[in-house]
Amino acid sequence: MSFLDKLFGLEKPAKTSPEAGELLTTAYSNEELAAIEALLRGAEIPYRLCERGAGGVVRVIAGYNMYGTDVYVKADDAETARELLTPVEDVEDAADTQNVEEEA
């Protein structure tokens, strides 16, 4: 964390209203944000995006937001959304678990 991040308040989530929900994660690239949005849409989980710092302006000018984009979800959906974003540590174990669940 640099001095400028602290100076401009970029080490904290974007300021938003309580209705925004719970902070799920912060995406720092367009690709990461697109993947998160696709996962949430696929699970039909509503979300809200809030740009950090002057991120909205930076995104328009540069095509990406170097300050990050905070992704918020409703408190009721937060656990499910976090599970979607948690990487699978062992793909083989995940496949075995899925096969056991399908057989049951």
Short mmCIF file of all heavy atoms in Angstrom, two decimals, residues 3 7 14 26-27 29 37-38 47 51 54 60 62 64 67 72 74 81-82 87 92 94 97:
data_model
loop_
_atom_site.label_atom_id
_atom_site.label_comp_id
_atom_site.label_asym_id
_atom_site.label_seq_id
_atom_site.Cartn_x
_atom_site.Cartn_y
_atom_site.Cartn_z
N PHE A 3 1.78 5.42 -0.16
CA PHE A 3 1.37 6.64 0.53
C PHE A 3 0.18 7.27 -0.19
O PHE A 3 -0.76 7.76 0.44
CB PHE A 3 2.54 7.62 0.59
CG PHE A 3 2.14 9.00 1.02
CD1 PHE A 3 1.82 9.27 2.34
CD2 PHE A 3 2.05 10.04 0.09
CE1 PHE A 3 1.43 10.54 2.74
CE2 PHE A 3 1.66 11.31 0.48
CZ PHE A 3 1.34 11.56 1.81
N LEU A 7 -3.47 8.44 1.06
CA LEU A 7 -3.82 9.84 0.90
C LEU A 7 -5.19 10.00 0.24
O LEU A 7 -6.01 10.81 0.66
CB LEU A 7 -2.76 10.57 0.07
CG LEU A 7 -3.02 12.05 -0.19
CD1 LEU A 7 -2.94 12.83 1.12
CD2 LEU A 7 -2.03 12.59 -1.19
N ALA A 14 -15.04 1.51 -1.49
CA ALA A 14 -15.69 2.74 -1.96
C ALA A 14 -16.81 3.12 -0.99
O ALA A 14 -17.46 2.26 -0.42
CB ALA A 14 -16.26 2.52 -3.36
N THR A 26 -13.09 -7.01 -4.43
CA THR A 26 -12.67 -5.89 -5.26
C THR A 26 -11.93 -6.44 -6.47
O THR A 26 -11.00 -7.22 -6.32
CB THR A 26 -11.75 -4.93 -4.48
OG1 THR A 26 -12.44 -4.47 -3.32
CG2 THR A 26 -11.35 -3.73 -5.32
N ALA A 27 -12.38 -6.05 -7.65
CA ALA A 27 -11.74 -6.49 -8.90
C ALA A 27 -10.81 -5.39 -9.39
O ALA A 27 -11.17 -4.22 -9.37
CB ALA A 27 -12.81 -6.77 -9.95
N SER A 29 -9.10 -5.68 -12.50
CA SER A 29 -8.94 -5.71 -13.96
C SER A 29 -10.30 -5.96 -14.60
O SER A 29 -11.23 -6.47 -13.96
CB SER A 29 -7.96 -6.82 -14.38
OG SER A 29 -8.54 -8.10 -14.17
N GLU A 37 -18.80 -10.94 -12.60
CA GLU A 37 -20.16 -10.62 -13.04
C GLU A 37 -20.82 -11.83 -13.69
O GLU A 37 -22.01 -12.11 -13.44
CB GLU A 37 -20.15 -9.45 -14.03
CG GLU A 37 -19.88 -8.12 -13.38
CD GLU A 37 -19.98 -6.98 -14.37
OE1 GLU A 37 -19.07 -6.85 -15.21
OE2 GLU A 37 -20.98 -6.24 -14.30
N ALA A 38 -20.08 -12.58 -14.49
CA ALA A 38 -20.65 -13.76 -15.15
C ALA A 38 -21.07 -14.82 -14.13
O ALA A 38 -22.15 -15.42 -14.25
CB ALA A 38 -19.63 -14.34 -16.14
N TYR A 47 -26.19 -7.85 -7.86
CA TYR A 47 -24.97 -7.24 -7.34
C TYR A 47 -24.94 -5.77 -7.72
O TYR A 47 -25.69 -5.31 -8.57
CB TYR A 47 -23.73 -7.95 -7.89
CG TYR A 47 -23.62 -7.91 -9.39
CD1 TYR A 47 -22.92 -6.90 -10.02
CD2 TYR A 47 -24.22 -8.88 -10.18
CE1 TYR A 47 -22.82 -6.85 -11.40
CE2 TYR A 47 -24.14 -8.85 -11.55
CZ TYR A 47 -23.43 -7.84 -12.16
OH TYR A 47 -23.35 -7.79 -13.52
N GLU A 51 -17.12 2.05 -8.08
CA GLU A 51 -15.74 2.34 -8.46
C GLU A 51 -15.03 3.03 -7.29
O GLU A 51 -15.60 3.90 -6.64
CB GLU A 51 -15.71 3.26 -9.68
CG GLU A 51 -16.48 2.75 -10.87
CD GLU A 51 -15.81 1.61 -11.60
OE1 GLU A 51 -14.62 1.35 -11.35
OE2 GLU A 51 -16.48 0.99 -12.43
N ALA A 54 -11.35 7.92 -8.19
CA ALA A 54 -11.90 8.55 -9.39
C ALA A 54 -12.05 7.49 -10.48
O ALA A 54 -11.94 7.77 -11.66
CB ALA A 54 -10.99 9.67 -9.84
N VAL A 60 -13.56 5.39 -18.03
CA VAL A 60 -14.02 5.99 -19.29
C VAL A 60 -12.82 6.42 -20.14
O VAL A 60 -12.77 6.18 -21.34
CB VAL A 60 -14.96 7.19 -19.02
CG1 VAL A 60 -15.24 7.96 -20.30
CG2 VAL A 60 -16.25 6.71 -18.39
N ALA A 62 -9.34 5.61 -19.72
CA ALA A 62 -8.29 4.61 -19.96
C ALA A 62 -8.83 3.24 -20.36
O ALA A 62 -8.10 2.41 -20.86
CB ALA A 62 -7.42 4.47 -18.72
N TYR A 64 -10.02 1.05 -18.21
CA TYR A 64 -9.99 0.19 -17.02
C TYR A 64 -9.81 1.08 -15.79
O TYR A 64 -9.48 2.25 -15.90
CB TYR A 64 -8.86 -0.84 -17.09
CG TYR A 64 -7.47 -0.26 -16.92
CD1 TYR A 64 -6.84 -0.32 -15.69
CD2 TYR A 64 -6.82 0.35 -17.98
CE1 TYR A 64 -5.58 0.23 -15.52
CE2 TYR A 64 -5.55 0.90 -17.82
CZ TYR A 64 -4.94 0.83 -16.59
OH TYR A 64 -3.69 1.38 -16.42
N TYR A 67 -7.82 1.69 -9.78
CA TYR A 67 -8.10 1.78 -8.35
C TYR A 67 -8.94 0.61 -7.85
O TYR A 67 -9.05 0.39 -6.66
CB TYR A 67 -8.83 3.08 -8.02
CG TYR A 67 -8.06 4.31 -8.43
CD1 TYR A 67 -8.58 5.20 -9.35
CD2 TYR A 67 -6.80 4.57 -7.90
CE1 TYR A 67 -7.88 6.32 -9.72
CE2 TYR A 67 -6.09 5.69 -8.27
CZ TYR A 67 -6.64 6.57 -9.19
OH TYR A 67 -5.93 7.68 -9.56
N TYR A 72 -20.62 -5.48 -4.55
CA TYR A 72 -21.48 -5.67 -3.38
C TYR A 72 -22.63 -6.60 -3.72
O TYR A 72 -23.14 -6.58 -4.85
CB TYR A 72 -22.07 -4.34 -2.92
CG TYR A 72 -21.06 -3.40 -2.31
CD1 TYR A 72 -20.30 -2.54 -3.09
CD2 TYR A 72 -20.87 -3.38 -0.94
CE1 TYR A 72 -19.38 -1.68 -2.53
CE2 TYR A 72 -19.94 -2.52 -0.36
CZ TYR A 72 -19.20 -1.68 -1.16
OH TYR A 72 -18.28 -0.83 -0.59
N LYS A 74 -26.33 -8.58 -1.76
CA LYS A 74 -27.21 -8.55 -0.60
C LYS A 74 -26.65 -9.48 0.48
O LYS A 74 -26.04 -10.50 0.17
CB LYS A 74 -28.61 -9.01 -0.98
CG LYS A 74 -29.33 -8.07 -1.89
CD LYS A 74 -30.70 -8.60 -2.20
CE LYS A 74 -31.45 -7.65 -3.12
NZ LYS A 74 -32.77 -8.17 -3.47
N ALA A 81 -22.43 -16.25 -2.82
CA ALA A 81 -21.55 -15.55 -3.74
C ALA A 81 -20.09 -15.82 -3.41
O ALA A 81 -19.27 -16.02 -4.32
CB ALA A 81 -21.84 -14.05 -3.68
N ARG A 82 -19.74 -15.86 -2.14
CA ARG A 82 -18.34 -16.14 -1.75
C ARG A 82 -17.94 -17.55 -2.17
O ARG A 82 -16.82 -17.79 -2.60
CB ARG A 82 -18.16 -15.95 -0.25
CG ARG A 82 -18.04 -14.50 0.13
CD ARG A 82 -17.57 -14.29 1.57
NE ARG A 82 -17.51 -12.87 1.83
CZ ARG A 82 -18.53 -12.15 2.28
NH1 ARG A 82 -19.69 -12.73 2.54
NH2 ARG A 82 -18.41 -10.86 2.48
N PRO A 87 -11.79 -20.40 -5.19
CA PRO A 87 -11.20 -21.33 -6.16
C PRO A 87 -11.22 -22.76 -5.64
O PRO A 87 -11.11 -23.00 -4.43
CB PRO A 87 -9.77 -20.83 -6.32
CG PRO A 87 -9.50 -20.00 -5.12
CD PRO A 87 -10.82 -19.50 -4.63
N GLU A 92 -9.75 -32.67 -8.96
CA GLU A 92 -10.11 -34.09 -8.88
C GLU A 92 -11.05 -34.34 -7.71
O GLU A 92 -12.05 -35.05 -7.84
CB GLU A 92 -8.83 -34.93 -8.73
CG GLU A 92 -8.89 -36.24 -9.46
CD GLU A 92 -7.54 -36.91 -9.43
OE1 GLU A 92 -6.73 -36.66 -10.34
OE2 GLU A 92 -7.31 -37.69 -8.49
N ALA A 94 -13.03 -32.18 -6.30
CA ALA A 94 -14.29 -31.53 -6.60
C ALA A 94 -15.13 -32.39 -7.54
O ALA A 94 -16.33 -32.53 -7.37
CB ALA A 94 -14.06 -30.16 -7.23
N THR A 97 -16.56 -35.32 -5.55
CA THR A 97 -17.67 -34.86 -4.71
C THR A 97 -18.92 -34.69 -5.55
O THR A 97 -20.01 -35.10 -5.14
CB THR A 97 -17.31 -33.53 -4.02
OG1 THR A 97 -16.12 -33.71 -3.27
CG2 THR A 97 -18.42 -33.07 -3.11
#
